[in-house]
Amino acid sequence: MRKSLTFFFSGVVLAVAASTAVAGERVLEFKLVTKPLDLKVIEAANVEGQTVVSGKFFGVAVFSDGRIGVKEFVNASDLLKGSGPFFGYSTYTFEEGSITARYTGSAKDGKSTGEYTILSGTGAYANATGTGTIESAPNPFKGVNLLNIKLVVKTSGS
């Protein structure tokens, strides 16, 4: 009986250790190139330069070590002469799983900054929560956006 209890408790300790090993915090930093797929721009009547923009976008995440991921997202913004608030929902897909997040931010003088709130994840990011940042990067290309992204991903391991 004593041997059976020892074996049982060893199994419990191993199971707890295994679930704890997956839990933790990961910081993901990468460049993101995005392009609109379906964009709707509506000009406000009688307000010069005021637009409401919404659409579907696609992006490619590139890590400094060469790993890549993709991002599908929807975005809405309320801009006066190119400046104003924006928000959206995005899903990043990486080899090891996906992360879905809501973001908010603002654009001013051709630069964008914002923050992420991580809502969920799959695979290695199952049950993910966390935060992140968005910053526009110098961009030599027309028709696409170039951004610096940082996600602080917390997983519970459960």
Side-chain angles (χ1 to χ4, degrees), residues 1-10:
M1 179 72 165
R2 178 174 253 188
K3 214 174 204 181
S4 296
L5 280 175
T6 303
F7 181 74
F8 172 76
F9 286 124
S10 296

Side-chain angles (χ1 to χ4, degrees), residues 51-111:
T51 58
V52 175
V53 181
S54 65
K56 287 180 82 171
F57 293 74
F58 179 80
V60 176
V62 181
F63 291 85
S64 60
D65 67 2
R67 289 178 299 138
I68 62 170
V70 295
K71 176 183 178 178
E72 294 183 69
F73 63 112
V74 293
N75 186 83
S77 58
D78 182 9
L79 305 173
L80 178 59
K81 297 179 183 174
S83 296
F86 61 83
F87 74 96
Y89 293 87
S90 59
T91 297
Y92 284 98
T93 303
F94 305 107
E95 284 186 37
E96 63 274 11
S98 68
I99 296 169
T100 298
R102 183 178 196 284
Y103 62 87
T104 60
S106 63
K108 185 174 182 180
D109 300 326
K111 296 182 181 179

Side-chain angles (χ1 to χ4, degrees), residues 31 110-111 135-141 145-148:
K31 295 270 190 216
K111 296 182 181 179
E135 278 186 12
S136 55
N139 184 3
F141 308 108
N145 295 308
L146 183 57
L147 305 160
N148 293 316

